[in-house]
Amino acid sequence: MLDRIALLLLIIGGINWGLIGIFQFDLVAFIFGGQAAIISRIIYVLVGISAIWCISLFFREQELLEAQA
């Protein structure tokens, strides 16, 4: 379940970065009152933590395949 939450947050972050890159529009900041707003900062931190968490997915997938062999 934690993997799915982390993946969802990464998708949100990726869409937000795509909007920033293409349109110079920060959706998270727009919805929650600017980049300095506490809720926006919490979301940015959660997306960052999710990215770090998802690094482990690269190694876990290989471990699962080796265990099945």
Side-chain angles (χ1 to χ4, degrees):
M1 184 67 177
L2 191 58
D3 292 341
R4 289 178 187 250
I5 293 169
L7 183 58
L8 176 66
L9 287 170
L10 279 181
I11 290 169
I12 291 168
I15 290 170
N16 194 52
W17 274 109
L19 288 171
I20 292 170
I22 296 170
F23 301 112
Q24 296 180 352
F25 178 71
D26 188 342
L27 182 62
V28 172
F30 177 76
I31 292 173
F32 297 108
Q35 289 181 339
I38 190 70
I39 297 176
S40 295
R41 294 183 68 191
I42 290 170
I43 291 172
Y44 297 142
V45 169
L46 289 174
V47 169
I49 291 170
S50 295
I52 293 169
W53 177 265
C54 285
I55 291 171
S56 69
L57 296 178
F58 285 116
F59 304 107
R60 259 193 277 151
E61 183 68 29
Q62 186 175 356
E63 289 173 2
L64 291 174
L65 290 175
E66 289 174 357
Q68 291 176 354

